[in-house]
Amino acid sequence: MKSKRKASINLKKIIISDSEHGKYCTFAPNFFFMRINKYYLAAITAFAMWGFFSLALKPIHHYPSLDILFYRVFLSVMLISAINLFIRKNVVLNDWKNFQSKPKSERGKMLRINIGGGLLLTANWFIFIYVMNHISVKAASFAYLVCPILTTVLAFFILKEKLSKWQWMAVGISVTGCVLLSFNSFADIFYSLIVALTYALYLVFQRKNTEVDKFVGLNIQLLTSGILLLPFFPSFSGPVPAEGLFYICLIFIVVMFTIIPLFLNLFALKGVNSSSVGIMLYINPIINFLLAVFYYREEVTEIQMISYSLILISIIVFNEKLIFNRKLKELPVSE
């Protein structure tokens, strides 16, 4: 005799009952749009914004890269400092009182994390420009592909973040994609690793930055970067740009591609582990790749298509619990 099954569906679960065997099971379809939270959304938004960085950078590509870095950092410091001092003054004062109330060891830790973050950001930006101008563009771009792998591995060893079998599989897939892209350019890997390592360390150590407001912390980091670069400005900067387009693009670079995504990145680390944020960094080069193909009409090889497809698959596999998580339970039905 055939058993009779009834199913009821709501947004949280699907219940299937079996009248003959007196059992039912619940199937909870936590799809991506149901499960996504503000921290994941912040990380995705930050890396998606950085993916469009070339739209603001290309129009001023004829300016020296170091000049763009100088003005980017200095303007960022002035803007974020003004916001904190005049609009978020109470938050700054609360953070200062909190800092003063901490033991000396805790204060030292807070300073090391925030000032160290500024040092790592400066090193990342400076070395990236050096590699871009003196090694190769390919080596600089490849760093963005190596960085998520390094971040995941460093988070595993330094922060003891656990990875599932699916996530290790995703790391393996992304390594395969990166290896395919590195063919015939093994010399570039060394420079790419240096660039990638500085940002991977930044992500990992900022995971511990929980005592300071994220916007205030970002202010400290950019201020550290500005202080480091200031002595080099008189000797290494070119003539003061007079073209209006430079300053228009610079404002977009500072607001849309520096302050906002960096803040979102730090905010995401409050609720998402470093390895997950690191793997989502792949969103950046994927968007760059799509822009290169469909907007700038650059030629693409089969190896590149396969490699970027593998990287996209690795993002999906790494976040499979977020994208689609289901639980199947068998429980007795009450009479």
Side-chain angles (χ1 to χ4, degrees):
M1 188 176 188
K2 293 183 179 179
S3 61
K4 297 180 181 179
R5 294 175 179 242
K6 294 181 180 180
S8 60
I9 302 175
N10 59 39
L11 289 177
K12 292 185 178 179
K13 62 183 178 180
I14 301 172
I15 302 174
I16 303 175
S17 61
D18 188 329
S19 59
E20 181 182 3
H21 297 95
K23 298 178 179 179
Y24 74 88
C25 58
T26 61
F27 174 71
N30 295 321
F31 296 103
F32 178 76
F33 63 90
M34 294 181 187
R35 292 274 297 171
I36 194 167
N37 59 45
K38 57 185 178 182
Y39 301 111
Y40 275 95
L41 185 60
I44 293 169
T45 303
F47 296 128
M49 291 177 73
W50 273 324
F52 292 97
F53 191 18
S54 62
L55 296 179
L57 202 56
K58 279 282 188 180
I60 55 174
H61 70 278
H62 51 285
Y63 286 92
S65 298
L66 200 54
D67 276 1
I68 297 173
L69 175 62
F70 282 140
Y71 288 101
R72 176 190 187 184
V73 172
F74 296 153
L75 185 57
S76 295
V77 170
M78 289 188 290
L79 182 58
I80 195 171
S81 297
I83 293 172
N84 276 322
L85 290 175
F86 297 107
I87 300 176
R88 307 181 77 247
K89 186 177 179 180
N90 290 335
V91 177
V92 176
L93 290 175
N94 286 336
D95 270 2
W96 175 245
K97 291 177 182 178
N98 179 52
F99 176 78
Q100 289 181 313
S101 67
K102 297 290 183 182
K104 187 176 180 180
S105 59
E106 286 292 318
R107 293 200 300 267
K109 180 182 177 182
M110 292 167 67
L111 287 173
R112 285 194 300 272
I113 289 176
N114 285 283
I115 294 176
L119 294 173
L120 287 171
L121 275 182
T122 307
N124 177 260
W125 290 344
F126 184 80
I127 298 171
F128 180 82
I129 289 174
Y130 174 82
V131 173
M132 179 78 75
N133 289 345
H134 300 285
I135 307 302
S136 72
V137 175
K138 187 176 181 181
S141 301
F142 189 68
Y144 282 107
L145 300 176
V146 178
C147 185
I149 301 169
L150 283 178
T151 304
T152 301
V153 174
L154 288 173
F156 177 77
F157 286 107
I158 296 175
L159 300 179
K160 309 300 181 183
E161 293 182 358
K162 295 181 180 180
L163 299 176
S164 66
K165 292 180 180 179
W166 282 95
Q167 290 172 322
W168 279 117
M169 186 188 302
V171 172
I173 295 171
S174 62
V175 169
T176 304
C178 291
V179 169
L180 288 175
L181 284 176
S182 68
F183 284 160
N184 301 321
S185 58
F186 291 105
D188 293 345
I189 294 178
F190 173 75
Y191 299 101
S192 299
L193 284 174
I194 296 175
V195 176
L197 182 62
T198 53
Y199 196 72
L201 286 171
Y202 174 79
L203 285 178
V204 169
F205 287 116
Q206 289 308 302
R207 174 73 170 156
K208 297 181 178 181
N209 193 6
T210 58
E211 296 292 336
V212 180
D213 175 80
K214 296 304 180 184
F215 208 70
V216 174
L218 181 57
N219 196 162
I220 297 170
Q221 293 166 17
L222 290 175
L223 185 60
T224 302
S225 180
I227 292 171
L228 280 174
L229 292 175
L230 190 59
F232 298 99
F233 181 73
S235 302
F236 294 95
S237 64
V240 177
E243 188 181 9
L245 178 64
F246 176 85
Y247 295 100
I248 293 172
C249 291
L250 187 67
I251 290 172
F252 275 99
I253 290 171
V254 167
V255 177
M256 302 301 295
F257 302 110
T258 303
I259 293 177
I260 293 178
L262 277 175
F263 170 72
L264 290 173
N265 202 350
L266 291 175
F267 177 78
L269 288 169
K270 290 175 61 179
V272 181
N273 60 34
S274 299
S275 55
S276 294
V277 172
I279 210 73
M280 282 187 279
L281 181 59
Y282 279 133
I283 295 171
N284 181 351
I286 287 175
I287 292 177
N288 280 331
F289 179 75
L290 293 175
L291 282 176
V293 175
F294 297 106
Y295 186 75
Y296 296 112
R297 303 295 180 183
E298 294 181 3
E299 294 184 4
V300 182
T301 65
E302 290 183 3
I303 291 293
Q304 288 175 324
M305 287 293 294
I306 294 171
S307 300
Y308 279 94
S309 297
L310 287 173
I311 289 168
L312 179 60
I313 291 171
S314 74
I315 298 175
I316 297 171
V317 172
F318 193 93
N319 294 287
E320 54 89 22
K321 285 187 178 180
L322 173 70
I323 296 171
F324 185 77
N325 183 25
R326 60 185 180 181
K327 296 178 181 179
L328 188 62
K329 298 179 180 178
E330 193 172 85
L331 300 170
V333 175
S334 58
E335 297 294 338

